[in-house]
Amino acid sequence: MPQIPLYSPRGRYFEDLEEGHCVRTAGRTITEADVVGFAALSGDYNQIHTDAEFSRTTPFGQRIAHGLLVLSVATGLLAQTGALEGTVLAFRQLEWKFVQPVFIGDTVHLVVEVGGRKALPRLGSGLVTLRASVHNQAGSMVGRGEWQALVAGRPA
């Protein structure tokens, strides 16, 4: 039987992430199922997300997706790029501003730029700051902030 090689991460190591490097992800449409599923998962059944009649009386005029749902989708969009697959060790911190509502049927994508790096040789890794922004199908920014992740260093 032939030897099967061990898994080899396709993500970038700390040393490979250059400040200023930017990635735009594919889009993802926020669906009714996403909102219902997130409400069930999180326990957040706020009427602005789950009650169409109530939502018509709000300034938005319709239901909106949970902000944390959109942020979760954004992290998934980054994961789908493979940029940190097998090399991210921990999601350490985030600062986030929800800029505009996301409606059911909106398609969002993520733009991420490497904003800073700090080597942590003792851990064999580094702390990477990512400037992230989520945009809808019209190009409007719906959320923005900074994420920090611990990323593995290149093996010796």
Side-chain angles (χ1 to χ4, degrees), residues 9 16 19 28 46 51 61 79 85 105 108 117 127 130 135 139 142:
D16 303 329
E19 200 165 325
R28 165 106 159 40
N46 189 302
D51 184 333
E85 183 181 306
V108 297
R117 302 168 65 241
L127 191 62
L130 302 171
H135 305 261
V142 298

Side-chain angles (χ1 to χ4, degrees), residues 29-54:
T29 301
I30 304 299
T31 68
E32 170 86 17
D34 294 329
V35 172
V36 171
F38 192 83
L41 178 67
S42 66
D44 180 354
Y45 289 96
N46 189 302
Q47 290 176 292
I48 194 70
H49 310 302
T50 60
D51 184 333
E53 294 305 314
F54 169 81

Side-chain angles (χ1 to χ4, degrees), residues 32-117:
E32 170 86 17
D34 294 329
V35 172
V36 171
F38 192 83
L41 178 67
S42 66
D44 180 354
Y45 289 96
N46 189 302
Q47 290 176 292
I48 194 70
H49 310 302
T50 60
D51 184 333
E53 294 305 314
F54 169 81
S55 297
R56 282 190 188 93
T57 69
T58 71
F60 306 117
Q62 60 182 305
R63 288 179 298 152
I64 61 173
H66 303 75
L68 292 176
L69 163 63
V70 176
L71 182 56
S72 297
V73 165
T75 63
L77 289 170
L78 179 59
Q80 289 175 21
T81 70
L84 297 174
E85 183 181 306
T87 58
V88 69
L89 302 174
F91 191 69
R92 292 280 314 258
Q93 179 176 324
L94 73 94
E95 275 184 42
W96 197 255
K97 179 173 175 83
F98 301 99
V99 178
Q100 290 186 20
V102 173
F103 302 105
I104 295 169
D106 280 357
T107 299
V108 297
H109 69 272
L110 175 69
V111 176
V112 176
E113 178 183 352
V114 177
R117 302 168 65 241

